[in-house]
């Protein structure tokens, strides 16, 4: 692997096999265990701007060794050795990441070694557990690693009952209440988003069901289905005997229409829940329908005319929102169906061409 270093005399060395032991080291790194690691100032300066500033500072002469001394304290000696070796050759083993990933993340942040910080952020994030997630979160905040912070927050949210029993959480409650408040706020926001998504999903399903009901009403009143035929034709005997594509919705609407036609409560003016529901569906169809003059759905034109006269009906905000969303769901549904039909036609043509080519080859 090619290594490039610039020593103090300005000479650049590029080699594949020769190690830096051929050059005299001019820096000694001292660790917490008083271990001395020899290094080259050119390599350290090219890898870290912080080490560059340390090396370029004027040093005091003590009459002893001419080498500059850099102290890296607060982490295990082996972690410092791995860190220095990474500055020479950017590679880490899985075992080193497992043993010193957290320490290397702190060193990479302090000495601004960006590529090492990216690798440590990813490696530590892959190894975070319920037991150490609080400690990793605190380190990630200190080391300005937002991706790792988010991963820890999500793990705490998903395993909060278990995290509450750990020593890290108990220590956090006693010594860092602000971080505890941030975590609880994150969990509360996540739960609120989850509730909003569920509510939105339920609403979308409701709009899709209403859109399907509108299509079924048009289908029943125009073509007829198993129980109910067109309203203005004398071909009620030509009903479809087989189920349609939306049979469950269509069948329920047919039963509702038959009840609406013979309900005595509706005729007597006493009111009926099923009839009111049918009237609401017919009114919704009228609000969406853009062909009221030729539409064959019962009461479509009457609801249109009544809506133009009744200002309260026009100004009903909730009703207008419902109409817009059902119309939008209907448009999206029809668009997806057209795309599905096009893809089915395409695959059918492709399969027919493939069969035809095979026949010409073998016959």
């Amino acid at each position: 692997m090619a290594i490039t270093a610039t020593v103090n005399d300005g000479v650049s060395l590029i080699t594949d096999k020769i190690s830096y032991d051929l050059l005299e080291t001019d820096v000694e790194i001292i660790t917490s265990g008083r271990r001395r690691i020899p290094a080259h100032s050119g390599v350290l300066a090219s890898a870290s701007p912080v080490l560059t500033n340390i090396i370029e500072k004027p040093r005091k002469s003590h009459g002893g060794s001419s080498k500059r001394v850099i102290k890296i304290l607060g982490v295990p000696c082996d972690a410092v050795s791995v860190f220095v070796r990474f500055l020479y050759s950017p590679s880490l083993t899985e075992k080193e990441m497992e043993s010193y990933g957290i320490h290397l993340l702190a060193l990479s942040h302090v000495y601004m070694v960006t590529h090492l910080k990216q690798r440590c952020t990813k490696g530590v994030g892959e190894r975070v557990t319920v037991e150490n997630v609080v400690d990793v979160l605190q380190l990630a905040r200190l080391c300005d690693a937002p991706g790792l912070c988010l991963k820890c927050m999500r793990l705490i949210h998903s395993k909060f009952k278990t995290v509450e029993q750990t020593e890290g959480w108990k220590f956090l409650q006693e010594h860092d209440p602000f971080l505890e408040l941030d975590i609880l706020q994150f969990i509360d926001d996540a739960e609120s988003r989850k509730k909003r998504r569920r509510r939105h999903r339920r609403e979308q399903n409701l709009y899709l069901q209403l859109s399907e009901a509108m299509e079924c009403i048009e289908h029943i009143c125009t073509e007829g289905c198993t129980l109910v035929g067109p309203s203005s034709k004398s071909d009620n005997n030509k009903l479809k005997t087989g189920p349609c594509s939306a049979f469950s919705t269509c069948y329920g609407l047919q039963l509702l229409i038959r009840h609406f036609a013979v309900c005595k409560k509706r005729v007597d003016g006493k009111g009926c829940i099923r009839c009111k529901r049918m009237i609401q569906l017919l009114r919704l169809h009228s609000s969406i329908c853009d062909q009221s003059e030729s539409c064959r759905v019962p009461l479509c034109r009457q609801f249109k005319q009544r809506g133009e006269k009744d200002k309260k009906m026009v100004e009903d905000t909730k009703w207008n929102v419902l109409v817009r969303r059902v119309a939008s769901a209907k448009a999206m549904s029809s668009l997806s169906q057209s795309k599905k039909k096009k893809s089915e036609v395409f695959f059918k043509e492709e399969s027919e061409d493939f069969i035809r080519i095979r026949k010409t080859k073998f016959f």
Side-chain angles (χ1 to χ4, degrees), residues 34-80:
R34 308 304 296 174
R35 181 186 298 179
R36 292 178 176 268
I37 303 173
H40 301 83
S41 60
V43 177
L44 303 183
S46 65
S48 166
V50 177
L51 291 174
T52 301
N53 294 334
I54 296 174
I55 291 170
E56 290 178 351
K57 282 182 179 180
R59 58 178 175 172
K60 298 178 181 179
S61 59
H62 298 284
S65 175
S66 61
K67 294 183 179 181
R68 180 180 292 276
V69 175
I70 300 175
K71 294 182 179 180
I72 301 180
L73 309 175
V75 293
C77 301
D78 291 337
V80 179

Side-chain angles (χ1 to χ4, degrees), residues 21-33:
D21 292 337
L22 296 178
L23 294 176
E24 184 180 356
T25 58
D26 55 351
V27 175
E28 273 193 348
I29 298 174
I30 300 179
T31 67
S32 297

Side-chain angles (χ1 to χ4, degrees), residues 22-197:
L22 296 178
L23 294 176
E24 184 180 356
T25 58
D26 55 351
V27 175
E28 273 193 348
I29 298 174
I30 300 179
T31 67
S32 297
R34 308 304 296 174
R35 181 186 298 179
R36 292 178 176 268
I37 303 173
H40 301 83
S41 60
V43 177
L44 303 183
S46 65
S48 166
V50 177
L51 291 174
T52 301
N53 294 334
I54 296 174
I55 291 170
E56 290 178 351
K57 282 182 179 180
R59 58 178 175 172
K60 298 178 181 179
S61 59
H62 298 284
S65 175
S66 61
K67 294 183 179 181
R68 180 180 292 276
V69 175
I70 300 175
K71 294 182 179 180
I72 301 180
L73 309 175
V75 293
C77 301
D78 291 337
V80 179
S81 299
V82 173
F83 174 69
V84 174
R85 197 189 72 236
F86 185 88
L87 301 182
Y88 279 82
S89 176
S91 61
L92 284 175
T93 64
E94 291 294 321
K95 185 177 180 181
E96 290 169 343
M97 181 63 73
E98 183 75 31
S99 302
Y100 309 114
I102 292 177
H103 308 101
L104 292 173
L105 176 59
L107 290 172
S108 65
H109 174 71
V110 171
Y111 293 99
M112 299 177 65
V113 185
T114 307
H115 49 297
L116 176 59
K117 184 176 180 179
Q118 292 173 347
R119 293 187 62 176
C120 291
T121 300
K122 182 180 178 182
V124 172
E126 291 172 351
R127 292 165 176 80
V128 66
T129 63
V130 173
E131 293 298 326
N132 67 358
V133 64
V134 176
D135 299 328
V136 174
L137 175 60
Q138 290 176 307
L139 178 64
R141 286 163 65 93
L142 292 173
C143 294
D144 190 23
L148 185 57
C149 281
L150 182 60
K151 189 163 189 176
C152 293
M153 286 286 201
R154 287 175 174 169
L155 179 59
I156 293 173
H157 174 220
S158 60
K159 306 286 185 181
F160 185 67
K161 294 294 183 183
T162 309
V163 173
E164 273 189 313
Q165 307 302 320
T166 61
E167 293 297 325
W169 180 261
K170 295 174 184 177
F171 181 86
L172 177 71
Q173 286 181 309
E174 294 178 2
H175 298 89
D176 197 348
F178 292 104
L179 179 54
E180 180 191 6
L181 183 63
D182 289 343
I183 293 172
L184 296 177
Q185 183 65 46
F186 177 87
I187 294 173
D188 184 65
D189 293 342
E191 290 296 326
S192 299
R193 286 194 299 271
K194 188 184 293 185
K195 289 178 182 178
R196 286 196 298 269
R197 284 195 298 268

